[in-house]
């Protein structure tokens, strides 16, 4: 199979966010990341109609976020995997959103899905850290540099 050029570029940011924000697309990407890769498994796990799932899988494949691989030589049955571009961009977002939602679930406790850091082989809980001081970054301690510069200029 010829290697495809990634479809996601800076110019496509709005289209990408619109695609991810669509309810089923986010859920499909999340489940594929967590190992639910076959059509029937996705349909059962998500409770989505076959028509809607087919449409969404085709859209995500066209966007370059999923790749479709045959897993049976005798039947046209496929599984879906995140592309390298999707793993680079989508995985951090999916993990962050999933962990945020798990920590704020109302009612019954939600079990978080364990994550493995394949480089060191240990279970991990990823977080955003500063590239300079290596401390965790809290939302309240992060702002665009341009805002700070313009505040200084006003003084």
């Amino acid at each position: 199979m010829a290697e495809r050029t990634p479809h996601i570029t800076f110019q496509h940011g709005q289209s990408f966010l619109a695609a991810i924000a669509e309810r089923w697309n986010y859920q499909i990407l999340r489940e594929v990341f967590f190992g639910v890769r076959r059509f029937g498994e996705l349909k059962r796990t998500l409770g989505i109609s076959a028509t809607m799932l087919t449409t969404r899988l085709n859209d995500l494949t066209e966007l370059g976020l999923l790749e479709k691989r045959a897993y049976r030589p005798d039947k046209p049955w496929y599984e879906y995997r995140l592309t390298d571009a999707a793993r680079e961009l989508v995985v951090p977002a999916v993990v962050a959103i999933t962990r945020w939602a798990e920590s704020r679930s109302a009612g019954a406790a939600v079990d978080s899905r364990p994550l493995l850091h394949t480089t060191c082989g240990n279970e991990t809980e990823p977080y955003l850290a500063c590239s300079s001081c290596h401390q965790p970054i809290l939302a309240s301690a992060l702002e665009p540099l341009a805002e700070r510069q313009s505040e200084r200029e006003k003084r």
Side-chain angles (χ1 to χ4, degrees):
M1 182 191 231
E3 190 171 325
R4 293 173 36 155
T5 305
H7 294 280
I8 302 168
T9 63
F10 180 76
Q11 297 91 317
H12 296 112
Q14 284 186 311
S15 298
F16 168 74
L17 288 174
I20 282 275
E22 197 285 324
R23 174 186 173 206
W24 291 116
N25 289 353
Y26 166 76
Q27 291 182 43
I28 290 166
L29 291 169
R30 181 193 65 215
E31 292 306 318
V32 169
F33 169 69
F34 282 111
V36 181
R37 296 192 174 103
R38 295 181 179 176
F39 186 91
E41 294 171 334
L42 286 163
K43 186 176 175 300
R44 281 187 299 279
T45 300
L46 297 171
I48 185 175
S49 73
T51 303
M52 179 63 75
L53 180 57
T54 299
T55 300
R56 296 299 173 222
L57 289 170
N58 288 339
D59 290 348
L60 291 168
T61 301
E62 182 62 32
L63 273 172
L65 298 174
L66 291 179
E67 63 182 16
K68 182 177 174 178
R69 294 183 187 172
Y71 68 89
R72 292 231 3 208
D74 58 330
K75 295 187 179 190
W77 289 3
Y78 300 94
E79 65 180 14
Y80 295 85
R81 298 194 176 256
L82 297 175
T83 61
D84 288 341
R87 290 192 67 77
E88 197 176 296
L89 185 60
V90 174
V91 169
V94 167
V95 169
I97 292 167
T98 301
R99 289 301 194 242
W100 180 86
E102 290 168 348
S103 71
R104 285 158 179 79
S105 66
V110 177
D111 290 332
S112 64
R113 299 179 190 184
L115 297 169
L116 176 71
H117 185 221
T118 58
T119 303
C120 70
N122 290 306
E123 191 171 318
T124 188
E125 200 53 53
Y127 64 91
L128 184 62
C130 175
S131 60
S132 295
C133 70
H134 309 289
Q135 294 296 311
I137 296 176
L138 304 175
S140 60
L142 189 64
E143 61 186 38
L145 186 57
E147 276 187 29
R148 277 202 130 160
Q149 287 175 341
S150 63
E151 281 179 23
R152 285 185 198 145
E153 290 170 5
K154 288 178 186 177
R155 293 180 193 166

